Amino acid sequence: MRVGALALQGDFREHLAAVERLGHDGVEVRTPDELAGVDALIIPGGESTTIGRLATIYGLMDPIRDSVADGMPVFGTCAGMIFLASGTTGVDQPQLGLLDVIVERNAFGRQVESFEADVRVTGLADPMKAVFIRAPWIDKVGADVEVLATVDDPGGGGEHAVVVRQDRILAASFHPELTADDRLHAMLIDLAEER
Amino acid sequence: MDTSTEHGTDRVKRGLAEMLKGGVIMDVVNADQAIIAEEAGAVAVMALERVPADIRAEGGVARMADPGLVTEIINAVSIPVMAKARIGHFVEARVLESLGVDYIDESEVLTPVDEFHVDKRSFTVPFVNGAKDLGEALRRIGEGAAMIRTKGEPGTGNVVEAVRHMRLMNSQIAWLTTLGPDQLMNAAKELRAPIELVKEIAETGMLPVVNFAAGGIATPSDAALMMQLGCDGIFVGSGVFKSGDPDVRARAIVEATTFYQDPAKIAEVSAGLGEAMVGINIDTMPAEERMQDRGD
């Protein structure tokens, strides 16, 4: 299996290391040609405005949309989740609109509010050590989106979705690639193998 | 979610720097410049009162930026905001932390106040520090720095010193990996670095934190050069807003940082950029004007 990571900006090397640990080939994707050669795509953590701008000017938006429409599985973490979403509360920025959710950027606050916590994810036996860095959460979830994990708003605003799945699209607002826990990456590879 | 949430851990502090990799962090002195930087694709901005080229030209004591200005910049953009504190000035650092800045640069660009650096482990906000070589990097990491950058001569538009620091860093890391366990204590003594970190580098062959290029980067090719030497990303100080057309140059440096291995793309983004900032020859600079020698 060849698993690509969008390598415009962000922690794509950590994602590719996770792919390699699972015994698959990890490749960097910066162009539509490189995208055409992969069986699944990871959109890494990073700055979503930077990734969105570079993906737009280098003509990657439609090729990614077309590949996902053809059934290519995709996994986004943090900025990757924002980039996959259909909208962002309060701001306007380039997004793929593939995942039917509205996200809120920096929802937990600025860097001093960044944190790690154990999060239970549906389908995984043990909790994940989740690293949230200026992380988004999901404000609104579309009908076809399955919520796999939630966390409480530290401000008392109730629960918010932080891991979701819609068909072959998987997204997390935290960074499994910063830990040695590769279970969500394994889920992506299972989606690619089912295909 | 389980009730145990931890803030300010090494993983959380170092993690933000991981997210900035492959990106460009730009010096800005007001909210308008911050917006231009964000729109150009900067991954973060560095708030300061004067860019290094002006600090160099005007002289005097350079301090933390006005808190009102820092807040204006924080409110103007959605990307992370960093700000500079003087070396050793733990009160400036506390003030910046209270304003909600996302990273503090304990920077030689400002005038140092102490021979000791800030005890960065006592903060929740992460710190970036400059380093000319591996020993300096490991001393700063030992104090709690969560990100390192080269200490190229700021405000000169001359990348030679940043290149020198990165080459030295790479060769010292490679050297450590060739040593046996019986040689590491001596290496720690030679590098004047904590033994635990020396052991870690000898084993992994890499720094435990992200290392960006900083100091003298003025062109897209400079940015790509530093990326090819192994830097994780780029700080641009005076290079953007002291040039003829900041908006276009900012975009070009962002694109060259992503496509650093592609000379044709670098050529394309470099064409017709207008005037680069005026450069300074570091060899003829008096020793007391060298900022990289501040802090060690």
Side-chain angles (χ1 to χ4, degrees):
Chain A
M1 195 75 63
R2 277 168 64 86
V3 180
L6 192 64
L8 298 171
Q9 190 272 317
D11 69 339
F12 49 88
R13 278 199 295 270
E14 283 63 30
H15 276 289
L16 294 177
V19 168
E20 302 273 346
R21 282 195 296 270
L22 292 167
H24 297 274
D25 294 333
V27 295
E28 296 181 4
V29 172
R30 291 186 180 82
T31 63
D33 283 350
E34 288 166 344
L35 177 67
V38 301
D39 303 304
L41 181 69
I42 296 167
I43 303 176
E47 274 308 310
S48 60
T49 50
T50 306
I51 294 171
R53 183 179 164 270
L54 289 168
T56 303
I57 58 179
Y58 287 99
L60 280 157
M61 302 292 279
D62 284 334
I64 295 173
R65 289 180 182 124
D66 293 345
S67 296
V68 173
D70 288 344
M72 178 188 71
V74 57
F75 175 33
T77 62
C78 195
M81 178 167 99
I82 297 167
F83 189 48
L84 285 167
S86 48
T88 309
T89 304
V91 286
D92 200 17
Q93 62 184 76
Q95 283 171 296
L96 290 166
L98 291 166
L99 177 63
D100 186 15
V101 299
I102 304 293
V103 292
E104 182 169 346
R105 289 184 57 196
N106 307 329
F108 295 93
R110 305 190 65 82
Q111 174 63 13
V112 290
E113 306 299 335
S114 295
F115 64 99
E116 46 185 281
D118 293 327
V119 171
R120 291 201 168 277
V121 180
T122 304
L124 302 182
D126 300 312
M128 293 193 86
K129 176 61 82 183
V131 186
F132 292 87
I133 295 174
R134 286 172 48 96
W137 66 38
I138 292 173
D139 273 340
K140 288 198 193 101
V141 180
D144 297 329
V145 178
E146 186 188 357
V147 175
L148 301 182
T150 60
V151 299
D152 292 327
D153 173 2
E159 284 190 336
H160 290 270
V162 293
V163 182
V164 294
R165 183 186 155 186
Q166 174 188 324
D167 195 19
R168 293 202 183 93
I169 304 170
L170 187 63
S173 46
F174 56 87
H175 296 282
E177 74 275 15
L178 292 183
T179 69
D181 188 340
D182 300 329
R183 287 176 293 170
L184 289 177
H185 292 85
M187 219 183 262
L188 174 75
I189 286 161
D190 285 347
L191 291 171
E193 280 170 351
E194 274 170 21
R195 204 181 153 192
Chain B
M1 185 173 71
D2 294 357
T3 46
S4 59
T5 64
E6 293 179 273
H7 295 84
T9 61
D10 278 352
R11 189 149 54 185
V12 163
K13 288 176 169 177
R14 295 174 180 183
L16 177 55
E18 298 285 346
M19 298 312 137
L20 303 176
K21 284 193 302 195
V24 182
I25 301 166
M26 298 182 195
D27 277 4
V28 299
V29 299
N30 57 48
D32 290 340
Q33 288 186 354
I35 291 165
I36 290 171
E38 181 175 44
E39 285 176 354
V43 290
V45 291
M46 174 74 72
L48 73 176
E49 221 147 42
R50 294 178 287 168
V51 293
D54 289 335
I55 291 172
R56 197 175 278 291
E58 292 161 18
V61 174
R63 308 180 178 89
M64 168 185 83
D66 183 313
L69 174 77
V70 175
T71 301
E72 274 174 38
I73 291 170
I74 285 175
N75 292 336
V77 293
S78 67
I79 55 179
V81 176
M82 300 183 166
K84 288 185 192 291
R86 282 180 270 179
I87 290 174
H89 206 315
F90 52 85
V91 173
E92 282 189 351
R94 285 289 176 205
V95 169
L96 294 172
E97 182 180 51
S98 78
L99 295 174
V101 306
D102 297 295
Y103 241 96
I104 293 174
D105 184 5
E106 186 179 18
S107 177
E108 69 280 7
V109 167
L110 307 184
T111 311
V113 300
D114 199 339
E115 68 208 76
F116 302 110
H117 285 73
V118 171
D119 168 26
K120 293 167 272 287
R121 292 207 181 277
S122 66
F123 286 73
T124 306
V125 69
F127 280 74
V128 53
N129 279 83
K132 299 183 293 294
D133 56 35
L134 181 60
E136 192 173 3
L138 297 185
R139 288 192 292 281
R140 297 294 86 76
I141 294 167
E143 293 159 359
M147 178 179 186
I148 292 294
R149 56 171 176 73
T150 63
K151 229 172 161 186
E153 201 52 46
T156 61
N158 188 342
V159 77
V160 61
E161 294 297 307
V163 169
R164 201 189 308 274
H165 301 165
M166 196 57 197
R167 288 250 184 235
L168 184 54
M169 182 82 75
N170 289 340
S171 64
Q172 289 173 320
I173 290 172
W175 167 65
L176 279 190
T177 65
T178 66
L179 301 183
D182 51 342
Q183 296 169 293
L184 291 178
M185 186 58 85
N186 204 56
K189 182 180 135 200
E190 207 168 296
L191 293 170
R192 294 184 293 128
I195 181 64
E196 290 310 318
L197 289 171
V198 168
K199 283 181 183 167
E200 188 182 336
I201 310 297
E203 197 172 313
T204 63
M206 57 189 287
L207 285 179
V209 302
V210 163
N211 185 15
F212 270 46
I217 293 149
T219 69
S221 295
D222 289 347
L225 172 68
M226 295 310 298
M227 292 297 288
Q228 290 208 22
L229 288 174
C231 288
D232 293 307
I234 303 291
F235 281 94
V236 186
S238 319
V240 168
F241 289 102
K242 282 286 160 189
S243 72
D245 193 343
D247 175 39
V248 179
R249 183 166 295 266
R251 287 166 195 265
I253 292 175
V254 168
E255 288 167 42
T257 301
T258 291
F259 292 97
Y260 67 93
Q261 290 156 314
D262 186 339
K265 278 230 164 61
I266 298 166
E268 188 186 315
V269 302
S270 301
L273 276 188
E275 289 278 306
M277 68 178 287
V278 178
I280 297 176
N281 190 340
I282 295 162
D283 293 338
T284 56
M285 179 182 283
E288 65 273 17
E289 289 180 16
R290 283 163 60 93
M291 292 178 177
Q292 61 180 295
D293 298 332
R294 296 168 166 182
D296 181 47

